[in-house]
């Protein structure tokens, strides 16, 4: 059997490779397709995430690392008529806490107290806020941080999640107590107020509680801003990314003259009383001081308990605004009102005279004149000049209390005045209807003393100043304190916008002449306080009002009131306007227990009038601000 030929081995391997190649190619194609599909899906997903859904994931990432919070705006400024700042803001450092960034807010507060230190009042406030304040609103931990406080917070940042240092502002009053009753003060919102308006819950927000701060609170508050901060995983602030401080409250320009206000406050220093000056042309309030006073800046952070107790226990009541809420029997400064009431209704004429023997006997009672020797025959001019009580006893009996009260209202002595301040007393003058309603037996004796501003008569220094301005001009001048808001003027300087009072010109001229003679003739009770300005004259009226009921024996003996204890001495008053022939200012001064208006109050009024007439009273445009020096923040360098 013939032998088979042997195959070549390389040829067999090549044949086998050719047989397997299609199988490998199919597998490679399948594997490549699968890989391509997987990478395609991954690419599509990446495209969707990075391109189509970029905004969504960027927002999520941003919220993971960026915190946004509201910040209180700066409160608006309050200025005088020239732009001098009367109420402003001072920056400082403070420690804040975002409760939402801390797993256990109470524990963080306790650690903060151990590290920085909190007094009992601060701790109590914070514990109330932990319960009552929303967690997304920053909580104030401590105000007025110094370098050491900030260093301790920074070193212990990891143990204080949500705690950060921020810039705050406190309310400052450059003129302090001189303007406390007028400008007012601010304080923290109550829990009830903060709950009703989340913006009020922001640290640093303040509410006006008195004076201009209260009346204009809505325009002074401003609009909150937003701060964006980057925080780490511990909740600590890494950096501030963006800060919008919001919109500061608008500037309120008052009609006040800070220089005149300072003079009034200084001249009343050490006494209890008030001084009010009005521009008779436009009704702008130029000065209104009340003494004693208080420090309004203490209310921004909270009045210390010891200080509050001292205010409340002070018999002179420093928080009482004597200019607008002090009610006094005005004494002889009321006589121009009684005279005009009688002249207007025809009960007397400028030529009517009464004889003053030093007293008026009415029934079994004797009503004495301040001068027991008497003034003889006097008319309305000389009676005002010498302040004859007996003349005005007769006037009151002739005209009656109803007409006197009506004239008092007409002159602005009583009734509502659009001053622009809260809780202004309206004053009071009795009427027969009032007496009947209270079942009072009204006698002629009651009427007699109304003629000299005693008895039930109660008026404010503001009312006296308003009456004086109206007598000076014959127009219904209305005092007001707000001149402009922002750049907007609230009142036009047009003297003819005040309506005429409709008073008898001859009678009005007689009263003005009598007030002129008070100051500018030797027999006048205010002669010692005449102006020293060449060719410039002031008209006025002195007043002394008893606060202690003297017995008939004391009256007969003409008791020297200066010998009485201070609290029993008469109150002293003076009203005036100047210049006489072109009135520009009207003033009223009250000094409690000053004994005599001529010696206690008239010199103060004279100094105020002199200062007013020797300075330019032209106001700056609303919005003008003369910046007060600002204290620098810690770390900003020398102040």
């Amino acid at each position: 059997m013939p032998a088979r030929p042997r195959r070549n081995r390389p040829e067999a391997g090549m044949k086998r490779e050719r047989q397997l190649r299609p199988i490998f190619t199919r597998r490679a194609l399948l594997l490549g397709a699968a890989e391509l599909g997987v990478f395609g899906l991954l690419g599509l997903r990446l495209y969707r995430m990075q391109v189509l859904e970029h905004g969504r994931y960027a927002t999520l990432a941003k919220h993971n690392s960026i915190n946004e919070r509201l910040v209180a705006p700066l409160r608006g400024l309050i200025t005088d008529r020239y732009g001098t700042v009367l109420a402003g803001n001072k920056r400082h450092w403070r420690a804040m806490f975002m409760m939402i960034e801390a797993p256990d807010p109470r524990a963080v507060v306790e650690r903060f107290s151990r590290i920085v230190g909190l007094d009992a009042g601060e701790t109590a406030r914070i514990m109330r806020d932990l319960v009552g304040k929303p967690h997304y609103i920053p909580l104030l931990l401590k105000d007025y941080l110094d370098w050491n406080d900030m260093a301790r917070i920074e070193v212990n940042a990891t143990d204080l999640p949500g705690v950060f240092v921020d810039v705050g502002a406190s309310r400052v009053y450059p003129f302090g107590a001189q303007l406390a009753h007028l400008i007012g003060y601010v304080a923290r919102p109550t829990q009830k107020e903060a709950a009703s308006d989340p913006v009020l819950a922001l640290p640093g927000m303040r509410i006006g509680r008195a004076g201009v701060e209260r009346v204009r609170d809505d325009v002074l508050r401003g609009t909150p801003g937003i701060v964006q901060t980057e925080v780490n995983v511990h909740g600590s602030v890494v950096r501030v990314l963006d800060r919008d401080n919001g919109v500061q409250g608008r500037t309120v320009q008052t009609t006040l003259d800070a220089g005149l206000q300072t003079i009034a406050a200084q001249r009343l220093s050490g006494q209890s009383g008030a001084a009010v000056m009005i521009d008779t042309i436009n009704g702008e309030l130029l000065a209104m001081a009340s003494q004693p006073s208080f420090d309004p800046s203490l209310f921004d952070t909270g009045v210390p308990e010891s200080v509050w107790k001292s205010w409340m226990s002070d018999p002179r009541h420093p928080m009482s605004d004597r200019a607008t809420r002090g009610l006094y029997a005005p004494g002889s400064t009321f006589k121009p009102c009684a005279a005009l009431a009688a002249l207007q209704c025809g009960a007397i004429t400028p030529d009517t005279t009464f004889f003053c023997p030093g007293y008026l006997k009415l029934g079994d009672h004797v009503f004495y004149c301040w001068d027991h020797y008497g003034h003889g025959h006097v008319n309305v001019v000389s009676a005002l000049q010498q302040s004859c009580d007996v003349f005005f006893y007769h006037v009151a009996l002739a005209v009656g209390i109803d007409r006197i009260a009506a004239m008092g209202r007409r002159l602005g002595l009583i009734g509502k005045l659009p001053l622009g301040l809260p809780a202004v007393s309206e004053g009071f003058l009795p009427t027969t209807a009032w007496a009947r309603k209270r079942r009072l037996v009204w006698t002629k004796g009651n009427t007699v003393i109304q003629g000299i501003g005693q008895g039930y008569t109660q008026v404010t220094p503001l009312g006296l100043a308003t009456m004086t301005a109206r007598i000076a001009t014959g127009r219904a001048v209305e005092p007001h304190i707000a001149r402009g808001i922002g750049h907007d003027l609230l009142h036009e300087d047009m003297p003819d916008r005040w309506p005429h009072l409709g008073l008898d010109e001859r009678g009005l001229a007689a009263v003005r002449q009598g007030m002129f003679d008070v100051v500018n003739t030797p027999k006048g009770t205010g002669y010692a306080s005449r102006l020293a300005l060449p060719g410039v004259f002031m008209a006025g009226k002195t007043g002394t009002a008893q606060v202690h009921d003297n017995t008939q024996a004391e009256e007969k003996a003409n008791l020297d009131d200066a010998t009485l204890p201070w609290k029993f001495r008469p109150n002293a008053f003076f009203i005036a306007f100047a210049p006489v022939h072109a009135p520009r200012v009207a003033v009223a001064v009250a000094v409690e227990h000053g004994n005599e208006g001529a010696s206690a109050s008239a010199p103060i009024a004279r100094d105020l009038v002199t200062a007013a007439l020797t300075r330019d009273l032209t106001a700056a445009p609303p919005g003008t601000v003369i910046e007060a020096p600002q204290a620098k923040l810690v770390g900003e360098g020398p102040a």
Side-chain angles (χ1 to χ4, degrees), residues 179-405:
L179 282 159
H181 300 100
L182 199 50
I183 299 303
Y185 52 86
V186 297
R188 290 190 177 101
T190 64
Q191 284 186 308
K192 183 178 180 180
E193 290 167 335
S196 66
D197 185 353
V199 172
L200 294 180
L202 294 175
M205 282 300 293
R206 296 292 185 265
I207 291 181
R209 297 299 189 193
V212 177
E213 292 275 29
R214 175 179 167 181
V215 174
R216 300 293 174 178
D217 186 61
D218 56 338
V219 299
L220 288 167
R221 282 190 194 177
T223 304
I226 296 177
V227 173
Q228 289 186 337
T229 54
E230 182 179 349
V231 296
N232 59 24
V233 294
H234 302 292
S236 300
V237 175
V238 176
R239 59 177 174 146
V240 175
L241 299 176
D242 187 35
R243 185 180 185 99
D244 174 7
N245 290 320
V247 180
Q248 182 174 359
R250 301 179 74 187
T251 296
V252 174
Q253 183 190 41
T254 69
T255 61
L256 296 170
D257 182 320
L260 292 176
Q261 182 72 21
T262 297
I263 293 171
Q266 290 177 346
R267 291 292 279 108
L268 285 168
S269 181
Q271 303 180 88
S272 298
V276 180
M277 175 170 277
I278 297 173
D279 187 322
T280 59
I281 294 177
N282 50 36
E284 292 181 347
L285 192 70
L286 298 175
M288 190 165 75
S290 177
Q291 290 291 328
S293 189
F294 60 93
D295 183 358
S297 65
L298 295 178
F299 286 89
D300 186 73
T301 54
V303 180
E305 184 178 359
S306 59
V307 175
W308 181 259
K309 286 182 177 179
S310 69
W311 288 348
M312 294 299 100
S313 61
D314 190 332
R316 299 196 304 159
H317 308 294
M319 292 196 67
S320 176
D321 181 5
R322 288 164 165 80
T324 62
R325 293 197 287 273
L327 290 171
Y328 304 93
S332 294
T333 55
F334 185 72
K335 289 174 180 176
C337 175
L340 284 170
L343 289 162
Q344 188 68 20
C345 72
I348 66 170
T349 71
D351 300 320
T352 300
T353 62
F354 292 108
F355 181 73
C356 172
Y359 62 90
L360 172 68
K361 187 172 176 58
L362 195 64
D364 59 354
H365 194 90
V366 177
F367 295 89
Y368 288 93
C369 185
W370 70 268
D371 185 348
H372 283 204
Y373 293 102
H375 294 98
H377 291 282
V378 287
N379 59 18
V380 67
V381 174
S382 56
L384 286 170
Q385 174 201 34
Q386 301 171 59
S387 200
C388 176
D389 292 334
V390 171
F391 181 90
F392 287 97
Y393 293 155
H394 287 291
V395 164
L397 290 171
V399 69
I401 61 171
D402 289 334
R403 289 194 179 99
I404 291 176

